[in-house]
Amino acid sequence: MEIPSYVNRLKEACGAAIEEVSTPLGDLVVLVKADQIVEALNWLKEDEEALFDHFMDLTAVDYIGREPRFEVVIHLVSIPKSQRIRIKVHLDEDDPVMPTITPVYPAANWFERECWDLYGVHFTGHPNLTRIMLYEGFKGHPLRKDYPIKKTQPLMELRKPEVRRSDEAFEPGKNPNNP
Amino acid sequence: MSIIEGRFEPNIIITSVDALFNWSRSRSLWPITFGLACCAIEMMATAASRFDQDRLGIFPRPTPRQADCMIVSGTVTAKMGERVRRLYLQMPEPKWVIAMGSCANSGGPYWQHGYHVVKGVDQIIPVDVYIPGCPPRPEALLDGFLKLREKIEQCTIAKKTG
């Protein structure tokens, strides 16, 4: 895949914010610095050739052991131009923080909440950054690779196995009331 | 001449209270309308015209206050488990629970790992009938109801059920 011409103009417009442009498996991937993500997305949304008007997806990947550890992935689609782009942002392990993109794409609101809930990526400026899937009081972010695989945090006390076995006092086919 | 001959009108049936109660309870099981996952699709199919669980006197009620049976049809997450338990506690006695499908029985594909699934709804509420399958066919659900009917016929008002 050839790199489209608007990417070069994006590089000129945003300068050092664009760290890398690649086309793995025929997809356009742009690596953007976290602090300038909003400017880059604004440019991609407004530019005549790019016109990425449709926000598709926002999620994170936990590359544990790598530096930087987290990678936030944003997928955009241009409906008028029929093209796609993938934006990646690298975030550090100690402080996975990036600005919210809800001013550009309001649809990202719940995606960022999900990303915070499951990966612990913090989006500064988000209107309501609370857990969306898990319950209040849940400790940790379970899709991180270092979350213990068998750890559960039930909301109530579970019934013990010996109590559960006593539920099964029933023999099919035998009816004392109607022998 | 027996003791009761001539003392009652001919339209009176003599039976035990247990038999009467169990007959009426087992022949009009009203489950609460409540589906959790893909098993709920099979549960809806059981209620629809092809399998028609209404012919067994089983039809879903919109509120736990009117229900005497609960079909846990699907994966019970930790977040939903609290609500399931609350719905169960809101149902009047006597009440019965059917665990439908592998997830409600034992956690299903989430039986070992995972942060979010209750490994079997019997960790939260007492279960009367377990229906295996992923998801069970509507016939299996109807069979579960027939098993529950057998169990209800064993109940006696002399002691607490469920």
Side-chain angles (χ1 to χ4, degrees):
Chain A
M1 178 192 175
E2 280 184 33
I3 292 174
S5 58
Y6 64 82
V7 176
N8 294 325
R9 293 193 288 110
L10 172 67
K11 279 182 182 169
E12 289 167 17
C14 296
I18 311 299
E19 291 185 280
E20 191 188 330
V21 179
S22 57
T23 58
L25 300 172
D27 296 333
L28 178 63
V29 181
V30 179
L31 183 62
V32 184
K33 274 189 180 145
D35 48 356
Q36 279 161 295
I37 180 74
V38 175
E39 289 83 353
L41 290 179
N42 248 328
W43 193 93
L44 284 167
K45 191 179 182 183
E46 302 296 335
D47 185 72
E48 293 282 311
E49 268 185 76
L51 277 179
F52 287 102
D53 52 351
H54 178 59
F55 168 83
M56 270 197 82
D57 191 22
L58 182 148
T59 186
V61 189
D62 181 3
Y63 291 103
I64 192 164
R66 196 189 76 172
E67 193 59 41
R69 177 174 164 185
F70 292 104
E71 195 171 271
V72 173
V73 186
I74 302 165
H75 286 158
L76 303 177
V77 170
S78 164
I79 293 172
K81 298 287 176 186
S82 184
Q83 60 196 6
R84 286 161 188 267
I85 193 170
R86 184 185 306 150
I87 319 279
K88 290 187 174 181
V89 179
H90 282 170
L91 299 176
D92 287 333
E93 177 173 359
D94 307 327
D95 194 24
V97 176
M98 67 177 274
T100 177
I101 65 165
T102 47
V104 195
Y105 296 107
N109 187 321
W110 283 15
F111 289 81
E112 291 183 352
R113 284 178 65 188
E114 183 184 2
C115 198
W116 158 250
D117 192 358
L118 301 176
Y119 287 99
V121 176
H122 196 274
F123 295 88
T124 49
H126 189 280
N128 178 27
L129 196 66
T130 52
R131 290 193 183 274
I132 187 168
M133 302 277 192
L134 292 162
Y135 31 91
E136 291 298 322
F138 195 92
K139 301 268 191 306
H141 304 283
L143 286 196
R144 285 190 175 190
K145 289 273 167 46
D146 52 1
Y147 187 86
I149 197 168
K150 289 193 178 183
K151 187 178 174 190
T152 53
Q153 304 180 27
L155 281 170
M156 75 208 78
E157 194 181 349
L158 298 179
R159 302 172 76 231
K160 296 191 169 53
E162 56 269 21
V163 182
R164 279 181 268 149
R165 272 197 292 278
S166 69
D167 296 342
E168 298 160 12
F170 166 59
E171 293 176 53
K174 288 184 184 173
N175 186 353
N177 297 329
N178 188 15
Chain B
M1 188 180 174
S2 77
I3 307 169
I4 60 171
E5 191 178 339
R7 298 181 68 177
F8 298 103
E9 295 292 318
N11 57 354
I12 285 184
I13 301 170
I14 306 296
T15 178
S16 76
V17 178
D18 270 345
L20 177 67
F21 275 32
N22 291 344
W23 168 77
S24 72
R25 281 172 180 166
S26 63
R27 263 64 180 176
S28 64
L29 275 173
W30 290 359
I32 168 176
T33 314
F34 161 61
L36 290 183
C38 33
C39 282
I41 305 294
E42 297 294 303
M43 187 182 69
M44 287 182 256
T46 318
S49 55
R50 186 183 178 90
F51 295 95
D52 191 17
Q53 65 183 14
D54 203 359
R55 72 202 150 97
L56 301 174
I58 304 158
F59 72 99
R61 300 302 299 169
T63 157
R65 313 278 181 198
Q66 299 173 353
D68 46 16
C69 163
M70 171 189 259
I71 311 169
V72 184
S73 53
T75 316
V76 187
T77 56
K79 194 175 179 179
M80 192 65 197
E82 197 188 25
R83 278 95 172 151
V84 170
R85 188 171 149 79
R86 188 175 299 173
L87 285 174
Y88 177 78
L89 293 175
Q90 285 178 351
M91 283 161 54
E93 295 271 1
K95 51 193 173 185
W96 294 276
V97 175
I98 295 178
M100 179 185 184
S102 299
C103 293
N105 288 346
S106 66
Y110 320 98
W111 67 279
Q112 191 177 17
H113 301 312
Y115 55 92
H116 55 317
V117 174
V118 177
K119 320 298 189 207
V121 75
D122 57 0
Q123 296 191 354
I124 299 174
I125 54 178
V127 174
D128 294 286
V129 176
Y130 297 83
I131 308 174
C134 188
R137 292 270 314 160
E139 294 95 324
L141 181 58
L142 288 177
D143 191 46
F145 272 114
L146 295 181
K147 282 278 181 294
L148 182 59
R149 184 185 274 192
E150 274 185 52
K151 180 166 183 174
I152 294 171
E153 281 167 357
Q154 287 189 13
C155 293
T156 169
I157 58 168
K159 65 177 184 183
K160 200 166 174 278
T161 57

